[in-house]
Amino acid sequence: MISGRDIIYISSIEWNFLWQGHQEIALRLAAAGNRVLYIENTGVRAPGLADVSRVAFRLKRWARALASSGVREVAPNIFLCSPLVLPPFGPRWQRTLNRRIFLPLVRRAARSLGMRDVLIWTYLPTDTTVDLIKQLRGPKSRVVYYCVADFTQLTPHADQLRRSERETVELSDAVFTNCSELTNLFARWNPNTHVFPFGVNLDAFPLEAADASPTRDGAKRNGHPSPQASQPTSTQTGGAASLNDLPHPVVGYVGGLHRHVDFALLKRMALARPGWSFVLVGSLQEEVGELRGLPNVHLLGQQPHRELAEYIRRFDVCIVPYVNSIYTTTVVPTKINEYLAMGKPVVSTDLPTVTEFNREHQVLLTATTEPEDFLRAVEDALALPKDAETIARRRRVASLGDWQARFAAMCALIETPQAGTGAREEKASEKPLAQARL
């Protein structure tokens, strides 16, 4: 297990965003006795009108943090840094300005914490990240790239991103991905590349109901602080108990309502089954259209991660209604393991990663994005056995993705020197290394 290290953690999401593996791993690194400087998302594209509120929030957070060298402690051993940088993949002057003016502020934040010989863990493969890695690493540093998305589908600068991503992979001592397709791609540039889909915290999704009330400081019962503990929800719903009086079956979804959710599919299913209840728990990141006005569709907004189990507990069937697209080819829905940990039947659209997962475990149902096909799969799921052994088997499959075991395996690969990292070492020797102490 990695312990006693100073870690620069370059995230692709904000600390207070939907709870994902980014926060889960950061907390486990901190709990293992490391200090983590969590760098909030510096982006893969230029912000647009839809990002105005996020940018404004970042400016306010940055201004508040100036008095403390740009960092603030958000959990034991986790320090938040919200740097202001120009968007990646801009003209040469823009990258130069980032490199000389803005990125050194991150180094200054690390220096204020007395960090040295840092382990750099990044989720972003942009030119901004490449420059930051080169500024921060020292002779005893190690670099980890964890790719959980096909970023070429998220930027208009796909060719530039491919180049910077290859450089990120070559600079890394270890590369982790969420699916075999990305692993096969990156292994050409770094043999120390491994598949690690996001896992599940089994303690947060118990089979048996328990007192889910937060402690006075907003911590989860398992001792891990939740970054969403103090965040207001999108809709005041009265909690999971508000679902108790809904007509059954209750078809439920937990996660962000983003552009990869098939809203047309959801609408047509809700219209076809007016006696069913469709419950969507997650932040509204896209306009949901006519779904909002349907009487059997319940949009509950973002809820604290520590309470999600109580919502899932009230679902009769859990769904993953994602569109099939180039981007979702490499998407591994984390929610599947959360659903299975609760022993629930699951229906997902037939994404390649989900189909691959199900070929191995035969534990869920897949369907096309045609409403009739998906509804038929939901009806089949409703008819599945509800005995203790069926429920226990789903949880056993989910336990294969237990975060603690997955985290320990990743740590072992990071700390153990691997053959095939010569490309990273050769690349690093082309320019003088940064000083060991930041």
Side-chain angles (χ1 to χ4, degrees):
M1 192 70 68
I2 294 173
S3 184
R5 296 294 299 266
D6 290 326
I7 299 173
I8 307 289
Y9 198 79
I10 305 171
S11 182
S12 58
I13 63 172
E14 316 291 61
W15 175 254
N16 280 329
F17 191 61
L18 293 176
W19 184 275
Q20 297 181 46
H22 306 64
Q23 298 101 323
E24 193 78 48
I25 292 174
L27 285 170
R28 291 177 189 277
L29 285 167
N34 303 287
R35 292 192 304 165
V36 179
L37 180 60
Y38 188 105
I39 311 299
E40 293 199 296
N41 188 16
T42 54
V44 294
R45 57 171 177 81
L49 289 176
D51 302 300
V52 169
S53 60
R54 181 177 64 83
V55 173
F57 182 74
R58 170 66 67 86
L59 285 169
K60 291 178 182 177
R61 176 172 285 177
W62 174 78
R64 288 200 305 266
L66 285 178
S68 57
S69 300
V71 299
R72 63 188 181 92
E73 192 168 8
V74 293
N77 281 336
I78 298 181
F79 302 86
L80 193 67
C81 179
S82 307
L84 290 179
V85 296
L86 297 175
F89 309 121
R92 181 175 299 179
W93 67 264
Q94 186 170 302
R95 184 172 182 180
T96 300
L97 197 61
N98 268 342
R99 189 186 298 129
R100 295 183 178 178
I101 304 297
F102 296 115
L103 294 183
L105 297 177
V106 176
R107 181 171 175 163
R108 190 177 306 163
R111 186 187 296 121
S112 73
L113 296 172
M115 288 188 160
R116 65 174 69 208
D117 298 327
V118 294
L119 187 159
I120 303 168
W121 185 306
T122 181
Y123 292 89
L124 287 173
T126 62
D127 55 357
T128 307
T129 300
V130 169
D131 290 338
L132 189 54
I133 290 171
K134 291 178 178 178
Q135 287 195 19
L136 293 172
R137 69 181 181 184
K140 297 181 181 179
S141 292
R142 298 187 74 79
V143 179
V144 178
Y145 174 40
Y146 195 171
C147 179
V148 295
D150 182 357
F151 287 107
T152 61
Q153 302 302 313
L154 301 178
T155 175
H157 306 287
D159 289 340
Q160 292 169 272
L161 189 137
R162 288 189 187 95
R163 290 194 293 271
S164 66
E165 185 160 55
R166 175 170 180 169
E167 188 169 5
T168 304
V169 170
E170 291 176 340
L171 286 168
S172 297
D173 296 283
V175 178
F176 305 135
T177 78
N178 67 331
C179 68
S180 56
E181 181 172 334
L182 291 173
T183 292
N184 293 337
L185 172 65
F186 297 150
R188 298 180 298 171
W189 308 322
N190 190 324
N192 194 23
T193 300
H194 309 270
V195 179
F196 281 100
F198 275 177
V200 60
N201 180 355
L202 294 174
D203 291 339
F205 294 91
L207 276 179
E208 302 298 327
D211 178 12
S213 59
T215 59
R216 294 182 64 182
D217 63 356
K220 293 191 297 184
R221 288 177 58 84
N222 63 5
H224 291 320
S226 168
Q228 296 182 22
S230 61
Q231 186 177 14
T233 59
S234 301
T235 305
Q236 297 301 320
T237 66
S242 65
L243 307 185
N244 291 344
D245 298 327
L246 292 181
H248 286 262
V250 175
V251 179
Y253 168 84
V254 166
L257 292 170
H258 42 64
R259 63 190 178 96
H260 307 297
V261 172
D262 196 331
F263 296 114
L265 170 63
L266 289 170
K267 183 189 81 170
R268 292 174 64 184
M269 288 197 299
L271 290 172
R273 297 292 187 275
W276 293 11
S277 299
F278 291 83
V279 176
L280 311 176
V281 181
S283 63
L284 299 177
Q285 301 169 32
E286 289 286 325
E287 180 49 55
V288 297
E290 297 176 24
L291 274 180
R292 191 181 294 276
L294 297 179
N296 61 333
V297 175
H298 306 272
L299 302 168
L300 304 189
Q302 182 173 333
Q303 303 299 325
H305 183 261
R306 66 182 180 274
E307 296 177 12
L308 293 184
E310 294 309 310
Y311 286 90
I312 296 173
R313 198 180 306 283
R314 289 162 171 80
F315 297 165
D316 295 304
V317 173
C318 300
I319 61 172
V320 184
Y322 284 4
V323 298
N324 265 301
S325 65
I326 296 176
Y327 177 79
T328 58
T329 296
T330 57
V331 165
V332 180
T334 305
K335 58 187 62 60
I336 286 179
N337 274 331
E338 295 171 349
Y339 294 159
L340 293 175
M342 301 290 296
K344 294 294 181 176
V346 179
V347 177
S348 172
T349 46
D350 51 357
L351 306 180
T353 56
V354 176
T355 301
E356 181 181 353
F357 174 86
N358 205 36
R359 275 198 301 268
E360 181 178 358
H361 300 295
Q362 296 295 310
V363 74
L364 52 83
L365 299 174
T366 60
T368 69
T369 55
E370 289 298 318
E372 296 80 9
D373 192 26
F374 203 98
L375 282 170
R376 190 178 307 113
V378 172
E379 289 169 341
D380 289 344
L382 288 168
L384 289 172
K386 299 177 175 60
D387 59 286
E389 175 53 32
T390 298
I391 292 171
R393 181 174 181 274
R394 291 172 184 150
R395 183 155 177 103
R396 283 197 300 272
V397 172
S399 70
L400 299 175
D402 175 61
W403 257 128
Q404 192 57 29
R406 192 152 287 179
F407 173 67
M410 287 191 288
C411 287
L413 289 167
I414 294 168
E415 290 290 67
T416 303
Q418 298 286 324
T421 56
R424 182 258 190 214
E425 293 167 357
E426 181 180 349
K427 196 98 177 171
S429 66
E430 293 175 3
K431 294 185 179 181
L433 294 172
Q435 295 296 317
R437 183 177 179 85
L438 296 174

